[in-house]
Amino acid sequence: MALRNLVIEGDPLLRKTSRPVDEITPRIIKLLDDMADTMYFEGRGIGIAAPQVGVLRRVFVIDVGDEHGLIEFINPEIIETSGSQTDHEGCLSVPGKTCEVERPEHVKIKALNRNGEEFELEAEGLLARCICHENDHLNGILFIDKSVDGKVYKAGESEE
Ligand code: ZN
């Protein structure tokens, strides 16, 4: 198990656009493994994108605790979205903050797995939300940019 250091809001790395993976090398496999370890560490996260560990590559991993378990996405592309949902989000790179973000209710995404095979996944609810959140990281976008009311709250603080 290897943990990577998290990049925290304010670091310009989080605002950069990540580059596609050209070849799935042992370094990319190690990155995927380390990202999952870092996400699961103390059960803190349900998703993490490579820029959050300082690597500007189009890679993220997600485990929202459903039947899919851990899903690894390399060079992901959201190909369809529909519906809408609004809920609170948080982020390992934006500790202690939350806000409400509107996301599609359904997304269809294609990506490569660690064997370089393309797969498609249809997701809804929390998984769809998480996919959109992580995909935004690859384009330098943070959830706090998308607050529905323009406000960002301390996690646990009343909004009233
Ligand atoms: Zn995040």
Side-chain angles (χ1 to χ4, degrees), residues 14 47-49 52 89-94 103 130 133-134 137 141-143:
L14 289 177
I48 192 168
Q52 294 182 267
E89 292 189 16
C91 179
L92 292 171
S93 293
V94 190
R103 301 285 189 188
C130 193
H133 176 119
E134 301 311 331
H137 275 298
I141 299 165
L142 297 177
F143 77 101

